[in-house]
Structures are given as C-alpha cells and as structure tokens.
Amino acid sequence: MNRRTLLSAAAAIALALPVSAQDDPLKVGFVYVGPIGDGGWTYTHNEGRLAVEEHFGDRVETVYQESVPEGADSERVMSQMALSGADLIFTTSFGYMDPTLNVAERFPDVKFEHATGYKRADNVSTYSARFYEGRAVLGHIAGRMTESDVVGYIASYPIPEVIRGINSAFIHARKANPDVQFRVVWAYTWFDPAKEADAAQALIEQGADVILQHTDSTAPLAAAESAGGVIGFGQASDMAEYKPTPRVSSIIDNWGPYYIDRVQAVLDGTWESTDTWHGIGEEMVVIGEITDAVPEEVRAEALALRDEIASGAYHAFTGPLNRQDGTAWLAEGEVADDGTLLGMDFYVEGLTGDIPN
C-alpha cells in the first residue's frame, strides 16, 4: 500500500470515529438573546455552558455570543460559529427557529439544538422545559398571598409558551382564590430592564400586590421592592438577591444536565435529532426556595402541588376548563394534550383582555 493510500485510509478511519476518539476538542457554540448577566434566561443558559466546561474539561471548547437579536443577525452569528469549526450549536431563543433551520441546511455536518422551537431537521433538535408546571406553583402562591385580589403579569411576546404560562398561573391562582383577577401587560421584549420596570409600576398602580413575569431582568423585583408591600418571583433563575421579600420563590431553568447529555451524545457518536420537553419531574424546571415571607400553610400547599406535578399524579391543565369565551375545552378530569399546549393561542375562562396578534 503506497503512502497516499495509507493517508486516505487513516482519514477515513478518523472520520468514522466518534469525536471523543479524535485529538481536537469538541467545539460547542451558544447563541444568547440577552446578556449573560441578565440574571434570568440567558444567565441560566450560560450556567449550563459552564457546567459543560466543568464536566468535560479539555475534551470540549465552548464559545458564545450574547445579546444576539432574533432574525438576520442571529443567522450571521450561527454561520460564523459553524465556519469557525463549531461541531454543536445551541440556539437559545424562540425567534432563532427559522435562522437555525436556514444555517443548519447550509452546514449539514454541524449539529444544532434549538430551545423552545418546534421545527426540526436531521441535524436540528428541539428542546424546551414545561415552564407552565412551575407557573402553576407560583400561581398558587400568588392567589393565596394577594390581599388586593389583583395579580400583575408581565408578558414578553404572545407566543404559545408565554400564553401557556399565563393560563397555568391564572388557573392555579383562581383555584387558590376565586376572587383573584389578572392584569397582563405585554412588554414585547425578553430583556429590557427599563420597559420591565415601567410594566411593573403600571401594574402596581392598577392595584397589583403580586407581580409575575415572563421577562428576564430583575427590574420588576426592584420595582416591587421600591413600592413596598408587593411580592414577586424569580424568573428563570433564583434572583436570590431579592429574597426573602419581595422575591418569595422562583422558577429556575436547569439546563446543565441536558447540555451535558447532548454534548456526550456527540462525543459518543450517538447524537440524533430529538424533541425534548421536560418539567419538574425531570428537574429541568425547579421551584426555588420558598421564603419565610410565605405563610407555612401556603408553603406546604405549594410544595404538595409541586410534588404532585413531579410524580405525574396531577397535570397543570386538568378539566373542567373552558376557553375565555365560555366554550368547553376540557371535561372533568380530562388532561390537555401536548399538541394543544404547544400551539396554545387562547386564554382560559376568567382571564380578561385580548391576546395581541
């Protein structure tokens, strides 16, 4: 066998081996919609990246780009990562969905993981968490602790993930307190502390003494603290600097185990395109510490609800439930199917106001 044949054979063997069998570290990219210091969504994704580095050491090299707008800019960033040798790229916001598919088509040898989306390809997986499970628990606390019977909710964008969260929080707040009303403000941003603070202040002026949020900064908690007598919750991360009050608990996104598992699959050569949607039971959604500002009875109720959801004994969307217009949705004991939840574009009965187009 001549030298050229030997080199060709060696190259073929190298290509056939899993990444872990080659000398170069696996290069893993992360595209973030906000800054890593946002204290919420992007912060927890970056914590997942750091967990990957700690777990794999020099077998893996990670790179990231923060504050990447959803749209053409994200496509450019993903392309640059792929061209720079990234083997696996995590794109961590809903609005990256089509850009991820576009770049993946141009780089079929690169593997992509898109957070909160629903479009897949041979080299594109999707993953998300059942945040609505955590919002059920926080909704219960909100319903039990409001004295004004007005709960404010700062929503980001009118997409199914956010609408699910509003519905879940409201259902469980209303179960805990039949008189509770929700006021929803659409901020049209994932991360903008000034807008979030303004939204929180507007809700407080409308009588809300509890603030829930599906935006990423700590600004709503700062507004609650300044107002006095208003409580809130950590979003995506613990936001522990505001406890024991106004932050009385939190919904924490725990991405590290998933990221480690998917990186390991690439290293092993076993990665396949999958769709993952985990919740409290799999500990992708975690309820943060419930502080002493919450009465012990309410704390016990919230933890019992968390445990029922985790075990599968209870589903956050269990009938009887009607749509906002009063038409039947779920009969007594009927559980919502994932397809409906994933495409949710309606409010449940009792919520006021319209969902923006």
Side-chain angles (χ1 to χ4, degrees):
M1 184 179 291
N2 62 33
R3 183 173 180 273
R4 179 176 296 176
T5 304
L6 282 169
L7 289 173
S8 298
I13 292 170
L15 288 171
L17 288 172
V19 175
S20 58
Q22 301 180 41
D23 292 333
D24 293 337
L26 182 76
K27 190 169 186 178
V28 184
F30 294 80
V31 183
Y32 299 142
V33 73
I36 61 174
D38 70 356
W41 176 262
T42 293
Y43 170 80
T44 55
H45 281 284
N46 196 59
E47 288 292 290
R49 179 186 68 84
L50 295 174
V52 166
E53 289 190 341
E54 181 178 0
H55 183 84
F56 291 103
D58 59 9
R59 288 188 292 162
V60 166
E61 172 193 358
T62 72
V63 295
Y64 69 90
Q65 182 68 49
E66 59 187 326
S67 300
V68 178
E70 296 170 319
D73 282 347
S74 68
E75 195 164 325
R76 175 183 53 78
V77 169
M78 294 171 208
S79 297
Q80 288 177 342
M81 281 187 178
L83 287 169
S84 69
D87 304 288
L88 172 65
I89 299 174
F90 292 94
T91 62
T92 63
S93 192
F94 180 81
Y96 296 156
M97 181 164 58
D98 288 336
T100 299
L101 269 290
N102 293 340
V103 177
E105 187 175 8
R106 296 199 300 271
F107 295 92
D109 294 330
V110 178
K111 296 168 178 60
F112 293 81
E113 297 263 350
H114 177 231
T116 72
Y118 55 85
K119 295 181 181 179
R120 290 169 51 200
D122 288 345
N123 61 330
V124 179
S125 279
T126 55
Y127 66 101
S128 189
R130 295 181 184 267
F131 308 114
Y132 67 85
E133 294 182 347
R135 297 191 196 285
V137 178
L138 302 192
H140 178 87
I141 297 172
R144 290 280 272 126
M145 290 194 67
T146 178
E147 296 181 359
S148 67
D149 293 333
V150 179
V151 173
Y153 201 111
I154 305 171
S156 47
Y157 293 98
I159 60 175
E161 173 195 333
V162 178
I163 297 166
R164 278 195 307 273
I166 296 169
N167 281 332
S168 180
F170 176 76
I171 289 165
H172 293 86
R174 181 60 69 89
K175 283 184 177 181
N177 175 1
D179 296 324
V180 78
Q181 299 290 329
F182 269 31
R183 303 278 189 270
V184 180
V185 170
W186 294 94
Y188 291 97
T189 183
W190 293 115
F191 176 79
D192 186 324
K195 281 187 177 181
E196 295 172 64
D198 288 346
Q201 187 59 43
L203 290 165
I204 292 167
E205 290 173 359
Q206 293 175 43
D209 60 355
V210 181
I211 302 294
L212 291 160
Q213 66 182 92
H214 199 143
T215 52
D216 299 340
S217 86
T218 58
L221 285 171
E225 186 175 57
S226 296
V230 178
I231 64 167
F233 302 86
Q235 155 63 19
S237 74
D238 204 30
M239 299 187 176
E241 63 267 35
Y242 287 94
K243 69 182 186 182
T245 187
R247 172 255 178 246
V248 298
S249 188
S250 57
I251 177 172
I252 301 172
D253 307 341
N254 181 29
W255 302 114
Y258 179 80
Y259 286 162
I260 289 169
D261 180 67
R262 299 304 281 165
V263 170
Q264 186 66 58
V266 177
L267 289 168
D268 292 342
T270 59
W271 187 96
E272 293 181 347
S273 175
T274 58
D275 180 35
T276 299
W277 200 20
H278 288 166
I280 292 176
E282 299 87 357
E283 297 186 350
M284 189 176 273
V285 175
V286 176
I287 301 299
E289 175 193 357
I290 301 174
T291 72
D292 291 341
V294 178
E296 181 55 37
E297 180 183 13
V298 178
R299 180 179 184 275
E301 292 166 358
L303 292 177
L305 176 59
R306 177 201 66 183
D307 292 346
E308 279 191 291
I309 292 171
S311 70
Y314 173 73
H315 191 287
F317 288 97
T318 300
L321 287 172
N322 294 335
R323 295 173 184 258
Q324 185 184 42
D325 63 5
T327 59
W329 174 32
L330 297 173
E332 177 78 38
E334 185 181 3
V335 170
D337 63 89
D338 280 355
T340 301
L341 294 180
L342 287 166
M344 183 166 275
D345 59 357
F346 61 89
Y347 279 155
V348 294
E349 189 174 37
L351 280 164
T352 58
D354 297 323
I355 299 172
N357 293 323

